[in-house]
Amino acid sequence: RLDAITQCVNKITQTIKADGKRISAAVFPGPSMARKMVRQDWGQWSLDAYFPMIYNGFYYEGPEWIGRSVKESVQTINGRLNYAGLMFPDIKNTFEQALDEAFNNGASGVSFFDGPDEEYLHKFKAYLDKRGFEVAK
């Protein structure tokens, strides 16, 4: 089943890329967890970008787990884009630490699920400025 899913994804990816388009997917967190839990061997998928759903609260984990998951993901996909998918309610109280865990472990960026609100968008912009990241317009 693991190989069948990978073959299907790679066939779709090949078709999409042949048309000059890019392809990404939201995937389960950490390649090893994804293989075991839902048979996603997404480290073998030839996507342009990955959005692993690193919802630490779902797994009763703290923000450090975000860093460990991002690190495993980055090592597995060898330089392809990796945007840590963060469940906003899970990181609201540890916002900067969660972002640090993602970026310090090699995330290309982050994506938020279920938020953030206007206040945290401003905090996010300030965080990016403080880290010297350039915000695309």
Side-chain angles (χ1 to χ4, degrees):
R1 183 170 163 207
L2 193 77
D3 291 338
I5 293 169
T6 295
Q7 289 170 4
C8 179
V9 169
N10 284 337
K11 185 73 171 171
I12 292 167
T13 299
Q14 183 180 30
T15 303
I16 296 293
K17 288 184 174 187
D19 199 27
K21 295 182 173 70
R22 294 182 180 176
I23 187 166
S24 65
V27 294
F28 267 66
S32 60
M33 280 182 70
R35 280 191 303 274
K36 183 177 177 183
M37 292 172 57
V38 294
R39 301 295 186 239
Q40 288 181 344
D41 195 6
W42 58 263
Q44 301 303 312
W45 299 358
S46 55
L47 304 175
D48 296 302
Y50 302 79
F51 292 80
M53 299 178 286
I54 307 173
Y55 304 165
N56 58 305
F58 284 26
Y59 302 99
Y60 304 102
E61 297 283 353
E64 301 82 12
W65 183 76
I66 294 168
R68 291 192 305 272
S69 184
V70 167
K71 185 175 185 176
E72 180 192 3
S73 299
V74 167
Q75 291 171 341
T76 301
I77 60 173
N78 296 322
R80 288 174 278 168
L81 298 173
N82 176 33
Y83 298 94
L86 306 175
M87 178 60 71
F88 180 70
D90 293 347
I91 66 163
K92 189 172 184 176
N93 295 328
T94 58
F95 190 67
E96 273 204 34
Q97 183 183 3
L99 295 172
D100 283 344
E101 288 291 341
F103 287 115
N104 291 346
N105 284 285
S108 308
V110 296
S111 60
F112 296 110
F113 294 83
D114 195 15
D117 57 23
E118 190 75 24
E119 173 190 356
Y120 277 86
L121 287 174
H122 290 289
K123 288 182 180 186
F124 185 50
K125 172 75 167 80
Y127 174 87
L128 295 174
D129 290 344
K130 181 174 79 173
R131 296 259 331 216
F133 291 123
E134 219 173 287
V135 178
K137 296 183 183 190

